[in-house]
Amino acid sequence: MRIFIRGFKAIPKFYKFTMTNTKSAELPQTFEGTIDLGIIGGTGLYKLDCLEPIAILPRMETPWGQTSSPITVSRVKSDETEHFHVAFIARHGVNHEFPPTRVPFRANIAALKHLGTKAILSFSAVGSLQQEIKPRDFVLPQQIIDRTKGIRESSYFNDEGLVGHVMFGEPFSKSFADYIYQFQDVLENPDSAEPCLLHYNKELTVVCMEGPQFSTRAESKMYRLLGGDVINMSVIPEAKLARECEIPYQMVCMSTDYDAWRDEEEPVSVQTVIGNLQNNAKNANHLASKVIVEMAKELPVFMKNGDGLRDMMKFSISTKPEAMSKETLAKLKFLFPNHW
């Protein structure tokens, strides 16, 4: 079992917002420039020792609504890497107020795209569907099985007057996963004899279910038969939207427990689950910090060249520009100012 304690107008590249939090108000309300790495996850990732917050952009407005949380912009604490910027978004809101189905996914990804983000690193708690993926292990999935129910808005190109078809055969960035995997040694498990492993191969599959309820035992067994390795409620439509925005995307899945499939499973204590969540949070910080520091030293090739996704949408949208409404063109320009 898993217990979780877990109308539009164009906006220029220069943002200004009214601050409501006293601590946040101490930071600038504006940010000029572009974002190198976007991170989506819990609020615990905001406070990394290697980073210095330089701005907070609360609930950024997009053509698809507001982001789920303020966007915290930070820089690496080094004179040599002062121009490397990281943006953080809390997927479910600062107070975890958005259930999985109601997360404003389109606004979150659109905001990161509009800020010039070169890659997105996503973190998510998951249940394990395989014995070898134990609680506290991390997983770099490379495939997705979509078991959501079609009630989430999963595309920017599904409205009347705009048709776009995007390749999604390889939903994650293998280059990004390769980059992350080299830092597997940062994962720690200090109160256990078992090491925390970072699982990674080309067939590792995350199942995305609708939620907010977890799987029945029968469903959990079915997902295993389908080839699922872990299960969560967040990767769809996040991965689809990042692909439509031409942004390399990789999710790090953090196992909190075995899903409902194990017939012999004994009840899990709250203490055990909390311990797993806390250890996962620490390791997420270790991994994110290592990735950020190394990226800041030398930008990976996949962030420089767009991982083969750059300008993809020019050839994926079937509707001719002259047939689009002014509103539709304005939305496209929000995402792709140089395309249309």
Side-chain angles (χ1 to χ4, degrees):
M1 60 179 288
R2 273 188 302 291
I3 300 176
F4 276 85
I5 301 172
R6 49 172 191 153
F8 158 68
K9 62 180 180 178
I11 301 176
K13 282 282 192 175
F14 182 78
Y15 304 96
K16 187 170 184 176
F17 299 85
T18 301
M19 306 299 294
T20 57
N21 180 281
T22 303
K23 187 175 181 180
S24 297
E26 297 173 0
L27 291 173
Q29 301 177 25
T30 60
F31 171 71
E32 291 183 278
T34 59
I35 298 299
D36 294 287
L37 179 66
I39 295 184
I40 302 175
T43 54
L45 285 168
Y46 285 25
K47 299 178 181 179
L48 302 181
D49 291 339
C50 66
L51 291 177
E52 173 189 7
I54 59 174
I56 292 186
L57 317 178
R59 301 294 306 274
M60 180 175 161
E61 190 73 38
T62 78
W64 299 273
Q66 291 184 328
T67 55
S68 58
S69 78
I71 299 177
T72 302
V73 180
S74 300
R75 61 177 287 274
V76 176
K77 294 178 181 177
S78 170
D79 293 336
E80 298 177 359
T81 57
E82 61 180 354
H83 299 300
F84 186 89
H85 296 118
V86 183
F88 292 89
I89 293 180
R91 181 186 292 112
H92 296 284
V94 174
N95 299 305
H96 211 103
E97 62 268 36
F98 291 100
T101 301
R102 303 302 177 192
V103 171
F105 289 105
R106 292 198 295 181
N108 288 347
I109 302 298
L112 291 175
K113 173 66 175 180
H114 195 66
L115 287 167
T117 304
K118 298 180 179 69
I120 295 175
L121 177 59
S122 174
F123 286 86
S124 174
V126 299
S128 171
L129 295 170
Q130 301 298 332
Q131 185 68 35
E132 65 270 19
I133 301 174
K134 64 185 184 298
R136 302 193 180 190
D137 281 359
F138 281 20
V139 177
L140 295 172
Q142 292 301 287
Q143 284 297 323
I144 300 171
I145 294 175
D146 184 358
R147 291 289 296 168
T148 60
K149 298 178 180 178
I151 56 180
R152 307 180 184 197
E153 295 289 353
S154 61
S155 176
Y156 297 108
F157 313 115
N158 200 34
D159 298 329
E160 185 177 352
L162 179 62
V163 178
H165 300 285
V166 182
M167 298 297 291
F168 199 58
E170 303 296 334
F172 297 100
S173 169
K174 181 180 182 301
S175 298
F176 200 172
D178 288 342
Y179 188 85
I180 297 168
Y181 189 62
Q182 67 180 315
F183 307 125
Q184 59 182 298
D185 291 343
V186 304
L187 302 184
E188 299 177 348
N189 199 11
D191 57 349
S192 173
E194 294 188 281
C196 289
L197 302 178
L198 179 58
H199 300 266
Y200 174 44
N201 66 63
K202 68 177 183 178
E203 300 301 333
L204 279 172
T205 300
V206 53
V207 177
C208 189
M209 62 177 293
E210 190 60 62
Q213 300 86 358
F214 295 121
S215 309
T216 65
R217 191 179 300 276
E219 288 171 333
S220 189
K221 290 180 178 180
M222 176 186 70
Y223 297 145
R224 281 168 49 81
L225 292 174
L226 290 175
D229 294 290
V230 293
I231 183 168
N232 79 352
M233 303 175 189
S234 301
V235 72
I236 295 293
E238 208 170 77
K240 288 185 175 181
L241 297 170
R243 177 58 53 85
E244 289 188 347
C245 285
E246 304 175 349
I247 304 175
Y249 172 92
Q250 181 60 51
M251 174 171 277
V252 176
C253 295
M254 306 173 291
S255 175
T256 59
D257 61 281
Y258 290 107
D259 204 55
W261 58 273
R262 299 210 307 182
D263 292 318
E264 75 283 4
E265 180 76 353
E266 296 181 0
V268 180
S269 70
V270 174
Q271 183 179 2
T272 297
V273 173
I274 291 176
N276 293 342
L277 289 169
Q278 290 175 338
N279 202 76
N280 286 351
K282 290 178 182 177
N283 278 332
N285 274 266
H286 294 329
L287 188 59
S289 296
K290 187 64 176 179
V291 168
I292 289 168
V293 169
E294 294 304 314
M295 280 184 172
K297 292 177 182 175
E298 183 177 358
L299 206 64
V301 174
F302 68 88
M303 294 175 72
K304 294 178 181 178
N305 64 15
D307 203 28
L309 303 178
R310 191 169 295 161
D311 295 334
M312 174 188 66
M313 291 312 304
K314 282 185 178 180
F315 310 101
S316 298
I317 293 180
S318 304
T319 310
K320 296 180 179 180
E322 55 267 27
M324 299 178 190
S325 67
K326 290 183 178 179
E327 181 182 6
T328 296
L329 281 170
K331 289 181 176 181
L332 282 175
K333 287 183 181 295
F334 187 90
L335 298 175
F336 309 104
N338 299 321
H339 284 197
W340 287 273

